[in-house]
Structure formats: C-alpha cells, structure tokens
Amino acid sequence: MKKLFAIIFTILFCMPVYGAKKSFDFEGKGYLGTLPNLTRQYQPAEPKSTKPIIEQVENFHSADLIKPVPRDNPAFVNIILKQDKTTRYVNDINEFIPMLEKIYNSIENGESVQLFNAKVYFFNKNADYLRDKYIERPEGEYISFKRLMALSTHAKSIALLRFEAQKYNPYLAYSGAGYIYDPDNIAQQLEYLKKEVERAILLLKDAN
C-alpha cells in the first residue's frame, strides 16, 4: 500500500500543472519580467566644446636658443640687410636745401635786412651743428660739406654788412672805408651770394 501511494505521488508531482501561469522561461528567451523605463530619468550629457591647450612659457631666454646675427660679416650686412643707400649725412645735408632756397628767395625778392638776417642766422646755426658733427669724420672732406661751411661764413659776413650799413648809414660817407656800406656795393655782394646759394642747392641735390 505504501508502495502504491509512493508511485501515485511521484506521477502527480511530475505531471504539468495545467492552468498555472508561467512567469519565467529560461530556454533561449531570456528575462521576461518588466524593466524600468530608463529614458525618463537618463539625460544624455551635452558635448563639451574642446579648446586647444596653450602652454604659456615664462622667462623665455631667446638669447640662449637663437644664434646672434652675424653683423660683423660684410656679406650678411651688404646682402642680407641691404643697407639703406641714403646715409645719415645725406639726410642731414638735405635739410639745408629749403634753408638755402629761403635765403635765395629773400635776396631775389629784396626782403628787409631783418628777414634776411633771420634766415641767415638759422642757416648758420645748422651749419655749426653740421661742422661739429662731421669735421672729424670722412664726411668732413666731402665737397658738399666744405661748400656749406664756406657758404655759411660768406652769408654771415653779408648779413653783418647789411646790419652795419643800416645802423651806420646816416653817419658815413660812401668814400674810403665807408665804401663797403654803399647800397650799390651791398647789392653787388648780395648778387654774388645768391649765385653761391644757387650752386650749393644744385650740389646738394646731386648728392642724393
């Protein structure tokens, strides 16, 4: 009897239970349960803009990394640097051209002693500066330099002559020593000076 009961219990246990609801089936179907809706809570991260990383270098000593310019090498100076053909001396004497043109026009237009002497004074001051700057240099032997120095002395003497003539004219006779203050003599001296000024202007322009 016990043996029969055991057989019946075994048959009942092994038989499928019809009407029962399956929750899981692991053969090739995977998990059949309910998954949470992740899209509601998950927010995709916004792409961040990428910036280049610039490394700042402080206390950079270029002298330790860059070779010095070979300025003592004539080939580098003459070919690479290509020196300016306009020298400092030429720039200096070019400044005298408008000064001399003003003196020339002053004589040509018969300006007063005061206006003429003012223009000559300005020219002489610049000539003195040029003399001090180049008298001990090779430029001191240039024809243009010597011409400017001689012209400065001549213009100064004519300016002094006109000043003295205007000052002493009422008291001097135009004979003997007083002849130098004669208006005709002064006019002649001014004409000589005008020609020298004109030659000097042409010479300075040719020096460029």
Side-chain angles (χ1 to χ4, degrees):
M1 186 70 178
K2 292 182 178 179
K3 185 176 180 181
L4 180 62
F5 179 77
I7 293 172
I8 294 172
F9 179 77
T10 302
I11 293 172
L12 290 176
F13 180 78
C14 293
M15 289 179 63
V17 180
Y18 296 97
K21 186 178 180 180
K22 287 185 178 181
S23 297
F24 301 95
D25 187 355
F26 293 100
E27 284 197 31
K29 294 184 179 180
Y31 177 66
L32 299 180
T34 303
L35 296 175
N37 188 359
L38 299 179
T39 59
R40 293 182 180 180
Q41 299 179 355
Y42 174 75
Q43 295 294 335
E46 296 181 359
K48 296 182 180 180
S49 59
T50 304
K51 296 181 179 180
I53 300 176
I54 302 175
E55 182 179 358
Q56 297 181 353
V57 181
E58 298 180 355
N59 299 325
F60 176 74
H61 299 288
S62 60
D64 298 333
L65 301 177
I66 301 176
K67 294 182 179 180
V69 175
R71 296 186 180 275
D72 296 334
N73 187 342
F76 178 83
V77 173
N78 296 328
I79 298 175
I80 305 300
L81 292 184
K82 294 183 179 179
Q83 289 179 312
D84 188 358
K85 294 181 180 179
T86 304
T87 64
R88 185 173 299 178
Y89 173 77
V90 173
N91 289 332
D92 288 341
I93 63 174
N94 279 340
E95 295 180 2
F96 284 88
I97 295 177
M99 300 180 205
L100 298 179
E101 288 176 342
K102 290 179 180 179
I103 294 175
Y104 182 93
N105 293 332
S106 179
I107 299 173
E108 184 75 13
N109 299 329
E111 288 184 345
S112 66
V113 175
Q114 288 76 15
L115 290 176
F116 172 80
N117 284 5
K119 292 177 174 63
V120 170
Y121 177 81
F122 183 71
F123 165 59
N124 288 333
K125 284 298 181 183
N126 283 273
D128 291 342
Y129 171 78
L130 190 74
R131 179 188 295 107
D132 295 339
K133 186 174 183 180
Y134 293 107
I135 190 64
E136 300 296 336
R137 299 183 183 181
E139 291 86 351
E141 298 299 323
Y142 291 178
I143 297 176
S144 56
F145 178 84
K146 293 181 178 181
R147 180 67 61 84
L148 282 173
M149 296 302 104
L151 185 59
S152 174
T153 302
H154 189 186
K156 185 185 298 184
S157 65
I158 299 301
L160 180 61
L161 177 64
R162 293 191 70 184
F163 172 76
E164 290 178 347
Q166 184 183 52
K167 183 177 181 180
Y168 301 122
N169 251 343
Y171 315 104
L172 292 175
Y174 298 138
S175 59
Y179 171 76
I180 61 173
Y181 300 114
D182 188 305
D184 292 336
N185 180 57
I186 292 178
Q188 189 176 13
Q189 296 299 325
L190 286 172
E191 190 65 24
Y192 292 152
L193 178 63
K194 186 175 74 170
K195 291 180 180 179
E196 287 189 18
V197 170
E198 184 178 12
R199 294 191 188 100
I201 292 173
L202 294 176
L203 179 63
L204 296 182
K205 289 183 177 179
D206 289 340
N208 294 329

